Amino acid sequence: EPMIDTLVSFREQVRNAALAAVKDPESATKALQGILQTCDLLRDETMPLQGVRLEDRTGGTRWNREDPAAMKKELEEKKAGEAQAKKAKLDKKLVAKEKELTKLTESLQDPTRLFRTSEYKEWDEATGIPTVNADGTPVSG
């Protein structure tokens, strides 16, 4: 029976997280986060497929029976919206990184042009290293 399988699976996941916390008290926070994620998964994905809507409220959790097909469609639409939002966020990050790359690329100088300043009058054409100062004296190495 699907509802019993759901409850058994939920219990097992919560139990395993709790046992992990007991075995290693330093990971208790992580285990509690795992338990809360399991509870959210039950509320948001597992129970709707069984036709049960759970609503967390300040006075406790309420539940309603609804059409499983409609809830499945709602869940799929929610996931599609979340995926679209995630993609938009990644696209925005990509644009920012591309702008950063363009800025860095534009700021790069050809090493042979690095010393082409008013301090020098002549440069080695192959390396760009100055050979004559602006006053006409040779550059001493």
Side-chain angles (χ1 to χ4, degrees):
E1 177 147 346
M3 190 65 73
I4 292 172
D5 290 340
T6 298
L7 290 173
V8 169
S9 175
F10 173 76
R11 179 194 174 274
E12 184 177 1
Q13 291 174 22
V14 169
R15 184 174 184 276
N16 289 342
L19 286 173
V22 169
K23 289 179 184 175
D24 182 11
E26 291 180 16
S27 68
T29 300
K30 187 176 178 181
L32 290 174
Q33 289 171 339
I35 290 171
L36 290 173
Q37 287 173 346
T38 300
C39 290
D40 289 346
L41 183 67
L42 180 75
R43 178 196 62 213
D44 298 338
E45 295 184 25
T46 308
M47 294 305 287
L49 297 177
Q50 304 299 322
V52 177
R53 181 180 306 274
L54 298 175
E55 295 177 357
D56 292 334
R57 298 187 179 189
T58 54
T61 302
R62 295 190 177 241
W63 65 275
N64 293 313
R65 278 210 168 267
E66 296 184 22
D67 177 32
M71 292 187 77
K72 182 178 180 181
K73 182 178 179 187
E74 184 181 309
L75 180 62
E76 289 169 352
E77 289 171 354
K78 180 181 176 186
K79 283 185 177 184
E82 289 171 351
Q84 187 175 8
K86 190 174 186 178
K87 183 186 180 305
K89 187 176 180 180
L90 288 173
D91 287 344
K92 191 174 180 179
K93 278 186 178 180
L94 178 61
V95 167
K97 290 292 183 184
E98 286 173 341
K99 283 182 182 178
E100 184 180 341
L101 178 61
T102 300
K103 185 178 177 181
L104 288 170
T105 302
E106 288 173 354
S107 71
L108 293 176
Q109 258 190 36
D110 179 0
T112 62
R113 312 252 343 130
L114 190 61
F115 294 105
R116 302 266 176 170
T117 66
S118 59
E119 291 180 63
Y120 307 104
K121 186 175 180 181
E122 294 180 23
W123 302 265
D124 179 286
E125 290 303 316
T127 64
I129 295 174
T131 55
V132 177
N133 290 315
D135 63 6
T137 60
V139 173
S140 60

